[in-house]
């Protein structure tokens, strides 16, 4: 049994990770400032004596005694991370410095939730970990992309300089129950729009692609990486290589929800990556991990969640 700190533990991924680690018998400290996370995400865990919520901002130092740290704190959807871009960079950079300092003091192993945004609008397809990316340093997405890139740098400098045990995952678009209904990400947007009978808003011509990973698969990869040999530091891509255009996703959601909604076009946001697909050969080899949930099956679970949420 380990005592594990999860920053951003009340968010979409953090709540699923908390659940998984509690199920494995660990003690979980869920740290969150509730910027995009919600108490409702972890309400079922609160009665568990092995679970503890800590309202705290990772931009400030923290003193707790733990064996492992999963650093997930950071708004993840473009609407939320662009709302207060300076705070987004601070959360990634100051948050990483504070959590790495904590890991160094208590000799804890530390995981970083990095992102496919590291690759920017990629010129190499699919994206292997060896690709350095094509990121605009001064655009609307930069607060997130460059903040996460700097966090990766800090992780590797702490590894080289202080021998810290680090695990860095580059997470590709992940979806599932407990996504925030208003966070503007494409899967939640389309499902909520379809269920309410509103038009589905496709940005641009909808030919841009993404590869969507179901949350259970992703969490499995995250835990496998954390539990792997200390020699495996990453960065390692975690995502589902099945690639779809955004228009294909919209049509799939309409079909699965049996919605009468139509599709409308809206302006493509600046610097929106044209294509994205993870090369997961490293995760397959080093972690014996690959996703198993097909998009249609994962969407059905997610639709059922939002149907219930909207009815409440
Ligand atoms: P989310 O917005 O649901 O969760 C982020 C959590 O961090 C929230 O609970 C929020 O309140 C908390 N938080 C934000 N700023 C904080 C701060 N300063 N101090 C403490 N807590 C803070 O997003 P998510 O999808 O669960 O993403 C979790 C992590 O995974 C993020 O770091 C994100 O960048 C990364 N990631 C997610 C995806 C994805 O598709 N979901 C893809 C790539 C990377
Ligand atoms: N998108 C869209 N309609 C929406 C929300 C998003 O067409 O209502 C597009 C967006 O422009 C992008 C893709 O869907 O090309 C994925 O967007 P999301 O915000 O989910 O993630 P990210 O761009 O960070 O991969």
């Amino acid at each position: 049994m380990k005592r594990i700190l999860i920053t951003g533990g009340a968010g979409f991924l953090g709540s699923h990770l908390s659940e998984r680690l509690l199920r494995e018998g660990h003690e979980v400290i869920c740290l969150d400032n509730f910027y995009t996370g919600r108490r409702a995400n972890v309400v079922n865990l609160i009665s568990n004596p092995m679970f503890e919520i800590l309202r705290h901002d990772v931009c400030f130092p923290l003193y707790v005694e733990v064996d492992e740290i999963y650093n997930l704190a950071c708004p993840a959807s473009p609407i939320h991370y662009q709302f207060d871009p300076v705070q987004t960079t601070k959360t990634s950079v100051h948050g990483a410095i504070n959590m790495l300092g904590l890991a160094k003091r208590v000799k804890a192993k530390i995981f970083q939730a990095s992102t496919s945004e590291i690759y920017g609008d990629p010129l190499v397809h699919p994206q292997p970990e060896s690709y350095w990316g094509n990121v605009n340093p001064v655009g609307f997405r930069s607060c997130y992309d460059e903040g996460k890139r700097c966090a990766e740098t800090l992780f590797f400098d702490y590894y080289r300089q202080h021998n810290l045990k680090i695990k860095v995952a580059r997470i590709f678009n992940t979806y599932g129950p407990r996504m925030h209904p208003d966070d503007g990400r494409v899967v939640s947007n389309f499902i909520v729009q379809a269920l309410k009978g509103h038009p589905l808003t496709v940005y641009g011509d909808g030919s841009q692609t993404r590869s969507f990973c179901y949350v259970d698969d992703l969490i499995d990869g995250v835990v496998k990486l954390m539990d792997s040999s200390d020699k495996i530091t990453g960065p390692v891509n975690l995502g589902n290589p099945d690639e779809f255009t955004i228009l294909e996703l919209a049509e799939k959601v309409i079909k699965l929800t049996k919605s009468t909604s139509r599709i409308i076009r809206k302006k493509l946001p600046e610097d929106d990556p044209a294509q994205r697909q993870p090369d997961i050969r490293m995760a397959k080899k080093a972690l014996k991990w690959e996703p198993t949930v097909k998009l249609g099956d994962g969407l059905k679970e997610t639709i059922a969640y939002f149907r219930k949420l909207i009815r409440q």
Side-chain angles (χ1 to χ4, degrees):
M1 194 269 278
K2 287 177 272 195
R3 185 181 299 145
I4 301 176
L5 172 68
I6 304 178
T7 78
F12 162 50
L13 296 182
S15 63
H16 285 274
L17 181 61
S18 296
E19 215 167 66
R20 161 79 184 252
L21 295 174
L22 285 169
R23 222 171 30 237
E24 287 182 1
H26 302 297
E27 196 178 324
V28 171
I29 301 175
C30 162
L31 176 156
D32 211 293
N33 70 349
F34 296 99
Y35 183 56
T36 52
R38 292 170 301 163
R39 217 182 285 264
N41 285 341
V42 289
V43 74
N44 295 337
L45 308 179
I46 289 171
S47 59
N48 187 328
M50 305 287 271
F51 183 73
E52 188 180 341
I53 295 188
L54 196 59
R55 182 183 280 269
H56 182 82
D57 187 322
V58 284
C59 296
F60 298 93
L62 175 76
Y63 297 88
V64 288
E65 310 305 312
V66 291
D67 305 301
E68 288 182 353
I69 303 168
Y70 286 86
N71 188 36
L72 272 60
C74 186
S77 84
I79 289 184
H80 284 146
Y81 72 64
Q82 289 171 22
F83 178 73
D84 187 349
V86 173
Q87 183 57 35
T88 298
T89 304
K90 280 187 184 170
T91 294
S92 278
V93 177
H94 292 189
I97 291 171
N98 287 326
M99 291 308 113
L100 285 162
L102 171 64
K104 183 177 160 223
R105 183 178 69 80
V106 300
K107 298 187 173 47
K109 185 161 41 164
I110 180 165
F111 168 95
Q112 167 67 358
S114 192
T115 166
S116 51
E117 291 285 331
I118 293 291
Y119 303 120
D121 191 3
L123 304 175
V124 170
H125 193 76
Q127 295 81 54
E129 290 83 353
S130 55
Y131 178 48
W132 290 356
N134 176 37
V135 176
N136 176 357
V138 293
F140 290 107
R141 297 175 85 100
S142 314
C143 58
Y144 184 72
D145 300 10
E146 297 289 19
K148 289 283 188 181
R149 286 172 71 96
C150 183
E152 283 200 10
T153 307
L154 284 160
F155 268 70
F156 279 86
D157 283 335
Y158 266 80
Y159 167 69
R160 285 183 289 252
Q161 203 174 325
H162 300 297
N163 279 323
L164 225 65
K165 291 176 188 159
I166 62 157
K167 302 281 177 182
V168 178
R170 291 183 178 155
I171 301 170
F172 283 64
N173 297 65
T174 301
Y175 69 99
R178 301 203 203 114
M179 293 184 87
H180 197 297
D182 302 320
D183 82 0
R185 281 186 267 194
V186 69
V187 174
S188 44
N189 259 15
F190 283 177
I191 292 178
V192 171
Q193 289 164 342
L195 291 176
K196 289 186 171 172
H198 298 166
L200 272 66
T201 51
V202 166
Y203 301 160
D205 64 5
S207 64
Q208 70 273 34
T209 67
R210 293 293 186 274
S211 307
F212 299 101
C213 186
Y214 188 62
V215 62
D216 290 355
D217 277 337
L218 193 276
I219 296 299
D220 201 43
V222 166
V223 174
K224 278 204 165 107
L225 174 59
M226 188 61 136
D227 292 345
S228 64
S229 137
D230 289 348
K231 277 185 271 173
I232 301 171
T233 57
V236 56
N237 289 338
L238 293 180
N240 190 322
D242 291 346
E243 187 182 357
F244 297 87
T245 68
I246 294 304
L247 201 55
E248 280 172 338
L249 177 73
E251 284 159 358
K252 233 178 179 27
V253 168
I254 289 177
K255 199 167 154 213
L256 289 171
T257 50
K258 301 190 176 67
S259 173
T260 53
S261 293
R262 61 200 176 89
I263 292 172
I264 58 166
R265 301 280 160 86
K266 288 211 165 174
K267 193 173 163 288
L268 189 68
E270 223 170 277
D271 294 336
D272 199 282
Q275 53 179 6
R276 183 181 286 159
Q277 185 195 40
D279 177 334
I280 61 163
R281 278 176 296 177
M282 186 189 286
K284 273 187 182 169
K285 189 161 177 241
L287 310 177
K288 310 267 172 295
W289 173 86
E290 67 181 305
T292 57
V293 181
K294 293 275 161 222
L295 181 62
D297 295 331
L299 283 177
K300 280 183 201 153
E301 294 289 328
T302 315
I303 289 165
Y305 167 80
F306 279 112
R307 216 185 270 284
K308 214 164 135 197
L309 193 76
I310 285 168
R311 258 198 240 118
Q312 278 169 2

